Amino acid sequence: MSAEMDALTVVNQLRDLAADPLNRRAIVEDQGCLPGLILFLDHPNPQVVYSALLAVRYLAECRANREKMKGELGMMLSLQNVMQKSTSPGETKLLSSEIYEILQSVDKEEADQAEAAAASCKRKAHFFLGSNNKRAKTVVLHIDGLDDPTRRSLCEEALLKIRGVISFTFQMAVKRCVVRIRSELKAEALGTAINSTKVMTAQQVLKTDDGGELMVPFKEDAAVLVEENTDIPDYLPEEESPSQDQAKAVTRVGSITDGVGWLSTAANFLTRSFYW
């Protein structure tokens, strides 16, 4: 099965989960589902984008979710990109605009009401594993010069050489790369590797207290020694694999055994990531 078909299968299942009001609070509280949906908003397949928007729209119906969704890294920017993209179908643009307006309207009064509303859509559930892995962390990079597939391949080669890089996913429309790395690896190592290409420069994207984004350039004198990986990317050991304990994967309402099938695949798909 192709990566694109995998993406469509996973996002459709997330959409179906989000359609159930009992799941919406748990999906947004999970550290892997919402960032995964945001990545899907930049997917080249229009069906994947539209299905992801439907899932986000369902999640936004839960008032208690809206503040967190608005503050999630890349959410508002990705919605804007969908609205402004000339190739986006009309219905897709309208849906994206509707979600953007709902999240943009979040204010202090609505945030206060969210706590009371949380009880109506909260459900105890275990979602994608690996999001709380203390041995790994996520770094978001904005890469100037990431303009075409050739540059992306060059960036891939640079990142794959670093020992401690677990996975990475590109968001070409906004020139970003979401990198999963071991906790002991410094973000500056990623900047050094990207800058060494001589045709691209990287900045780290950080979230501010008010939910905005701040781009922090790597200092020229902060270059660090990069330990090269001479074999393959340094993936986490199998005891920390998201698919190791299938009983704790995403499950449909009322069933734990359903997680053995497509749900464990979904967990691997979003937590380990793959290269689009």
Side-chain angles (χ1 to χ4, degrees), residues 162-215:
I162 305 174
R163 181 167 294 278
V165 169
I166 300 168
S167 64
F168 49 84
T169 302
F170 290 98
Q171 295 177 288
M172 296 296 291
V174 291
K175 299 184 179 181
R176 290 190 178 182
C177 183
V178 181
V179 190
R180 188 80 169 157
I181 62 176
R182 285 187 177 273
S183 58
E184 65 268 20
L185 182 64
K186 294 182 178 180
E188 286 79 6
L190 305 178
T192 298
I194 299 299
N195 295 343
S196 69
T197 65
K198 306 299 183 182
V199 293
M200 292 178 284
T201 57
Q203 301 178 76
Q204 186 174 2
V205 182
L206 301 176
K207 189 186 298 184
T208 60
D209 293 337
D210 60 0
E213 294 180 3
L214 177 66
M215 292 189 188

Side-chain angles (χ1 to χ4, degrees), residues 225-238:
L225 181 63
V226 177
E227 182 181 357
E228 290 197 2
N229 186 10
T230 56
D231 299 314
I232 58 174
D234 190 10
Y235 290 99
L236 292 178
E238 284 303 312

Side-chain angles (χ1 to χ4, degrees), residues 10-18 27 33 37 40 55 128 270:
V10 172
V11 75
N12 283 344
Q13 299 289 3
L14 280 173
R15 177 201 62 200
D16 292 343
L17 278 173
I27 290 174
C33 293
L37 284 171
F40 283 136
F128 298 128
L270 287 180

Side-chain angles (χ1 to χ4, degrees), residues 44-146:
N45 184 343
Q47 289 180 294
V48 172
V49 175
Y50 189 73
S51 191
L53 285 171
L54 286 173
V56 174
R57 179 64 182 85
Y58 283 135
L59 297 177
E61 288 183 11
C62 178
R63 189 180 296 272
N65 286 340
R66 294 176 185 174
E67 186 176 21
K68 180 174 175 59
M69 291 175 66
K70 180 182 179 182
E72 188 68 34
L73 185 66
M75 172 65 79
M76 303 304 283
L77 181 61
S78 294
L79 291 173
Q80 285 181 315
N81 288 335
V82 173
M83 289 186 287
Q84 296 170 1
K85 190 178 297 185
S86 59
T87 55
S88 295
E91 290 184 1
T92 300
K93 288 184 177 182
L94 286 174
L95 183 57
S96 181
S97 177
E98 179 184 354
I99 298 168
Y100 186 89
E101 290 178 5
I102 290 174
L103 298 183
Q104 193 74 343
S105 66
V106 174
D107 53 24
K108 188 177 184 302
E109 180 182 355
E110 193 161 327
D112 292 339
Q113 296 172 346
E115 292 300 323
S120 66
C121 53
K122 187 173 183 180
R123 172 178 177 264
K124 293 182 180 179
H126 292 285
F127 279 80
F128 298 128
L129 303 180
S131 57
N132 293 321
N133 189 346
K134 294 181 179 179
R135 295 185 59 186
K137 60 185 178 182
T138 301
V139 177
V140 181
L141 300 176
H142 178 85
I143 304 175
D144 291 318
L146 186 63

